[in-house]
Amino acid sequence: MGEFKVHRVRFFDYMPSGIRALAFNRDIERIAVARMDGSVEVFHCSDRFFQEKIIPGREQCGIEGLSWVGERLFSAGLNGGITEYDLTNQKVKYTVDAYGGPIWTIAGNQQGTHLAVGCEDGTVKLFEVNEDKIQFERNLDRQKSRIISLSWHPSGSKIAAGMMDMIQIFNVETGHSVHRLLADRGVGTSRSKECVVWSVVYLSDGTIISGDSVGMVKLWDDQTGTLIKSHNVTKCDVLALSVSQNEDSLVAGTSEGTVVQFQFISMVLGKDDKEWVRTRTFKNHTHDIRAVAEITTAVVSGGMDAQLVVRPLLDKVEVRSAASALRKIHFPHRRLVSCARKSGLMLFQYPGHLELWRLGESEGKGMPGSSLFVKRNPEKLLHLKVKGEDHIRCSAVSPCGEWIVYSTASSLRLYRLHCDNNNVSITKISKLPMVLSSANQLCFSSDSSHLFSASTQSSVHLVSLSQSGCKFVGTLKPKSGERTIGFGVLHIIEDGKWLASANSDHEVHIYNLQTRKAHCTVPVYSSAVTAMGIHPTTNCLFMMYADQQMCEYSIEQKQYTDWSRMVQRKGLHRFWMERDTPCLNVMFNPQHPSHVILHDTYMLCIIDQSLPLPDDKTQFYNQLTLKSLPEEQRKSHSHAFKVCKTFKDILCVELMSDQSLVVVERPLEDVASQLPAPIKQKKFAT
């Protein structure tokens, strides 16, 4: 497999933000996730839940609800504004003030014509959705308490609004309340304690389902305004509800961290009389579940513990595959760590600041698997705060360690770093080219002489760096011309001849940096590119995809290599294909040209292209078996994949210039220890 001296880094205190809202779009198979720091993420449900887009948050910008209208995404929050997002450029498009105080909920009708928001002042406000913007239409009857939850009837003619101690049913055409449903505060509950209706769902048959702070899921009749049935789900709060498309399944998220499923089934075999019955309980969270969404074949939930859990519903999964496995998404599907390979520096990206660290040093050599004595501890050199309210979108440090760059949604800043023994200072480059207003991806050339900035116009801007500052050199554009499209991955070869870029339409463009022109385009694959790298000697582009497939493309010959064709012909081992986290980096070892180094959240892998591929009958994790065999028998039992699972919860792996590996880990136990305490629950025999 190869031996490396490994810097095992665990001082990157990245803390994922809790999940506040979910919104699923069945037409485009995307689910939007809003976090408590104001950021919004979009996952592709049919592409292994790959995180396609991330819209960074802002300070003091809490989101309370999300809603899709067609392919447009809207949010609302306690700042009192309704925000539409530019998903292509991955930024806020505009914000409209609702003038009703903090907004607690937002919902769009199925017709895609109107948005309704529930406000602190007791009003439900209707906004008309136009092509370019939303426009206020009118208020429904004002209530005495804040509107906590909303749900449209599928016909768009009525709205159910949950609030303190009651549910109001509004006629959208007249704006008047037609029914008032009083919520019971529960047996033994103090009269001074209000019952909060956290969530409501309006079904096409006129049934209204509510979840409240008493721990009840209640079913109401909108014609008579009476309670049909109530289910006692928990002693705590029912915070979120979601119903399936054909309205035969309902899921409820509780503050105990459980998801409870109800199904609309017949109690007697052969009878048509159906009713809502509690069928399953899932326990995959440790803290409050603030949002749930029932998608085509699974239940997606998220809450205070910051993990997005995808729980498949096995009765809706026909074939056992990677889609039928439980999936937990803890960390972003992008790199938050940048390494200066030649100077031993690391740049950690937090939402509101950057940290620059110098790696420690060890002395002597040891046996494989042993720990070396640390001669010099890692040292924090710089803490750089972001100017303004916007959070950081992307950042990079140059290989020589002299340049630091970061971009938000509205600005880009470039700094020159000066290190004199233990004295560290930075100088801001004030006069930047106009094209560097913002970037989706950033990277430096291997000699640190150029900066590459990926824009949203499907182009890459090239800037030269020198002692005096920076100068705009040119723009690399694809042969198909400029289109407004977001970027996913950017990579440059070590000798500075080629640059490859992947966008959110799964297109991979390769540019010749000497002529500054587009060289070729890799054939489009159905899955998104998660990581790629250009081999320094063969000039082959190695690509990893969200569905765990891999391809190798010869840049000079403009075609797939023989090794890549063999992979597609023979297929990859099922253990490899069933992994549930994407590869985030592709590296090459100059001492072993046939080795490709990859990593995801749970493993580090070296692919030896000179060895045969394993089939499904071959033992995939075979390192221990090979160690037990004599030297002469090992080669006949070896295959191309060498997997190391020593490291857990990996955020970054980078191969440094001295052939050492930097492995940045963020143990989930450390994340859990920094979460607020969950609701105390009595356990058996305690």
Side-chain angles (χ1 to χ4, degrees):
M1 183 173 179
E3 291 185 4
F4 299 94
K5 183 174 75 172
V6 177
H7 297 271
R8 197 166 184 176
V9 175
R10 288 193 172 187
F11 45 82
F12 180 26
D13 294 327
Y14 170 74
M15 191 66 192
S17 182
I19 294 173
R20 186 63 191 88
L22 297 173
F24 177 56
N25 189 324
R26 288 184 173 84
D27 296 331
I28 59 175
E29 285 288 313
R30 302 296 194 278
I31 189 165
V33 178
R35 294 189 179 268
M36 292 181 179
D37 62 357
S39 62
V40 174
E41 304 162 0
V42 178
F43 293 83
H44 192 170
C45 300
S46 57
D47 194 15
R48 299 287 188 95
F49 285 87
F50 178 65
Q51 193 179 52
E52 281 188 329
K53 304 176 189 296
I54 299 179
I55 302 171
R58 302 186 67 192
E59 294 298 325
Q60 309 300 322
C61 179
I63 295 175
E64 288 294 314
L66 286 172
S67 181
W68 289 96
V69 178
E71 295 186 11
R72 299 164 66 180
L73 182 63
F74 296 87
S75 74
L78 299 182
N79 61 354
I82 303 172
T83 300
E84 182 177 2
Y85 295 97
D86 183 347
L87 295 179
T88 301
N89 297 329
Q90 299 184 41
K91 64 180 183 180
V92 172
K93 190 174 182 180
Y94 63 85
T95 300
V96 174
D97 199 324
Y99 296 104
I103 300 175
W104 292 92
T105 179
I106 182 172
N109 61 0
Q110 289 190 6
Q111 292 73 27
T113 58
H114 288 82
L115 278 172
V117 294
C119 302
E120 177 75 17
D121 65 356
T123 58
V124 176
K125 298 178 181 289
L126 294 185
F127 287 80
E128 184 181 4
V129 181
N130 300 320
E131 285 188 12
D132 54 342
K133 208 171 183 180
I134 61 172
Q135 183 176 358
F136 173 74
E137 189 171 284
R138 60 194 171 93
N139 292 331
L140 305 185
D141 283 350
R142 187 168 184 167
Q143 305 300 309
K144 293 182 179 180
S145 66
R146 66 172 69 111
I147 308 298
I148 301 294
S149 53
L150 288 173
S151 181
W152 289 78
H153 188 272
S155 66
S157 61
K158 295 179 182 179
I159 292 178
M163 56 193 76
M164 301 295 182
D165 290 329
M166 69 180 72
I167 301 169
Q168 291 280 6
I169 304 175
F170 295 96
N171 185 308
V172 175
E173 186 176 349
T174 63
H176 298 314
S177 173
V178 295
H179 276 299
R180 185 178 67 168
L181 316 178
L182 297 178
D184 186 8
R185 298 188 181 185
V187 180
T189 306
S190 171
R191 290 191 176 185
S192 61
K193 186 178 179 181
E194 295 176 309
C195 176
V196 184
V197 182
W198 289 115
S199 184
V200 289
V201 172
Y202 211 149
L203 303 184
S204 56
D205 64 357
T207 302
I208 296 174
I209 305 176
S210 65
D212 55 39
S213 59
V214 185
M216 307 288 285
V217 172
K218 298 175 181 176
L219 288 80
W220 309 81
D221 188 331
D222 72 338
Q223 293 296 322
T224 61
T226 56
L227 179 66
I228 303 172
K229 192 173 183 180
S230 61
H231 297 269
N232 191 351
V233 174
T234 173
K235 294 180 180 179
C236 304
D237 296 41
V238 177
L239 297 174
L241 296 174
S242 178
V243 70
S244 61
Q245 184 177 16
N246 54 6
E247 299 182 354
D248 63 350
S249 176
L250 174 87
V251 287
T254 73
S255 56
E256 291 178 325
T258 58
V259 175
V260 180
Q261 185 187 16
F262 294 85
Q263 289 179 284
F264 194 54
I265 56 178
S266 175
M267 296 295 291
V268 180
L269 190 64
K271 294 289 184 69
D272 293 334
D273 295 335
K274 293 184 178 181
E275 59 180 277
W276 288 97
V277 179
R278 178 174 175 172
T279 54
R280 296 188 185 97
T281 300
F282 308 126
K283 176 68 174 174
N284 299 115
H285 294 270
T286 58
H287 291 64
D288 298 14
I289 296 177
R290 304 302 297 267
V292 291
E294 183 163 347
I295 62 175
T296 312
T297 59
V299 175
V300 183
S301 56
M304 293 291 292
D305 59 4
Q307 61 178 343
L308 187 70
V309 176
V310 182
R311 177 80 190 208
L313 298 172
L314 297 181
D315 55 337
K316 296 185 178 182
V317 177
E318 297 180 357
V319 181
R320 183 185 179 275
S321 64
S324 62
L326 178 68
R327 188 184 304 268
K328 293 184 178 182
I329 301 172
H330 300 279
F331 302 117
H333 293 166
R334 59 179 175 136
R335 299 184 64 191
L336 300 174
V337 181
S338 176
C339 293
R341 296 187 298 275
K342 297 178 181 178
S343 56
L345 302 179
M346 291 181 300
L347 186 70
F348 296 151
Q349 177 183 317
Y350 294 87
H353 70 276
L354 298 171
E355 288 183 4
L356 186 70
W357 287 72
R358 178 187 286 131
L359 288 169
E361 289 184 1
S362 62
E363 59 182 22
K365 295 183 178 180
M367 297 294 293
S370 63
S371 299
L372 299 178
F373 178 76
V374 177
K375 183 170 62 175
R376 189 191 71 200
N377 288 324
E379 182 182 3
K380 183 179 178 180
L381 303 178
L382 183 68
H383 184 102
L384 183 62
K385 289 187 177 181
V386 175
K387 299 291 183 182
E389 295 182 343
D390 291 339
H391 289 171
I392 299 173
R393 173 184 283 169
C394 55
S395 61
V397 60
S398 62
C400 67
E402 292 185 10
W403 299 93
I404 293 175
V405 63
Y406 77 83
S407 176
T408 65
S410 58
S411 65
L412 184 144
R413 295 182 184 269
L414 177 65
Y415 297 89
R416 185 176 176 86
L417 188 69
H418 308 278
C419 291
D420 182 16
N421 295 326
N422 292 329
N423 297 322
V424 178
S425 62
I426 59 170
T427 303
K428 179 188 172 185
I429 307 302
S430 56
K431 295 182 180 180
L432 295 178
M434 292 293 292
V435 295
L436 294 184
S437 59
S438 180
N440 278 352
Q441 290 287 331
L442 293 163
C443 76
F444 290 91
S445 60
S446 56
D447 59 0
S448 303
S449 63
H450 289 84
L451 169 67
F452 298 91
S453 169
S455 73
T456 55
Q457 301 296 324
S458 193
S459 58
V460 180
H461 302 302
L462 175 61
V463 177
S464 64
L465 305 174
S466 62
Q467 298 284 342
S468 57
C470 64
K471 181 181 178 182
F472 176 66
V473 176
T475 300
L476 307 174
K477 300 178 182 179
K479 293 180 179 179
S480 57
E482 285 197 0
R483 290 185 300 145
T484 304
I485 191 168
F487 265 88
V489 186
L490 195 67
H491 189 271
I492 185 169
I493 193 173
E494 292 296 323
D495 64 3
K497 184 178 180 181
W498 305 104
L499 180 138
S501 68
N503 61 33
S504 54
D505 263 6
H506 306 174
E507 296 173 342
V508 178
H509 299 288
I510 300 172
Y511 302 97
N512 189 321
L513 295 179
Q514 296 175 350
T515 63
R516 296 179 200 155
K517 292 183 178 180
H519 177 70
C520 64
T521 301
V522 178
V524 177
Y525 183 59
S526 59
S527 186
V529 176
T530 63
M532 60 184 179
I534 304 175
H535 199 287
T537 56
T538 63
N539 286 345
C540 290
L541 176 65
F542 195 96
M543 293 165 286
M544 288 300 306
Y545 295 97
D547 64 355
Q548 311 301 353
Q549 288 287 352
M550 59 183 68
C551 289
E552 189 181 46
Y553 188 83
S554 173
I555 296 177
E556 295 174 347
Q557 298 178 7
K558 298 183 181 180
Q559 64 179 12
Y560 289 114
T561 63
D562 293 338
W563 185 86
S564 181
R565 296 179 190 277
M566 179 183 67
V567 169
Q568 300 306 313
R569 186 172 63 252
K570 291 187 175 181
L572 296 169
H573 199 282
R574 65 180 180 88
F575 283 176
W576 177 267
M577 298 300 295
E578 288 174 359
R579 290 166 34 254
D580 62 356
T581 58
C583 285
L584 298 179
N585 198 12
V586 175
M587 299 158 285
F588 303 95
N589 188 352
Q591 295 183 354
H592 300 280
S594 63
H595 287 188
V596 181
I597 306 173
L598 312 169
H599 86 88
D600 65 11
T601 306
Y602 302 113
M603 64 92 200
L604 172 68
C605 178
I606 296 179
I607 299 176
D608 190 343
Q609 294 180 310
S610 64
L611 293 177
L613 293 172
D615 55 31
D616 281 346
K617 296 180 181 179
T618 306
Q619 184 183 1
F620 188 70
Y621 303 109
N622 63 349
Q623 274 76 20
L624 293 176
T625 303
L626 292 177
K627 283 183 180 180
S628 64
L629 294 175
E631 188 73 29
E632 59 273 6
Q633 296 182 20
R634 289 183 184 177
K635 192 169 184 179
S636 61
H637 289 79
S638 297
H639 59 72
F641 288 79
K642 303 294 181 289
V643 178
C644 171
K645 289 196 172 186
T646 304
F647 313 105
K648 303 294 182 184
D649 309 318
I650 303 171
L651 291 180
C652 173
V653 176
E654 191 65 67
L655 182 63
M656 308 299 278
S657 296
D658 61 356
Q659 296 300 299
S660 64
L661 277 178
V662 174
V663 179
V664 181
E665 299 172 283
R666 183 58 172 149
L668 294 178
E669 299 83 25
D670 295 349
V671 174
S673 67
Q674 297 183 32
L675 293 172
I679 290 179
K680 187 175 181 180
Q681 301 177 41
K682 188 180 186 314
K683 295 184 178 179
F684 178 73
T686 59

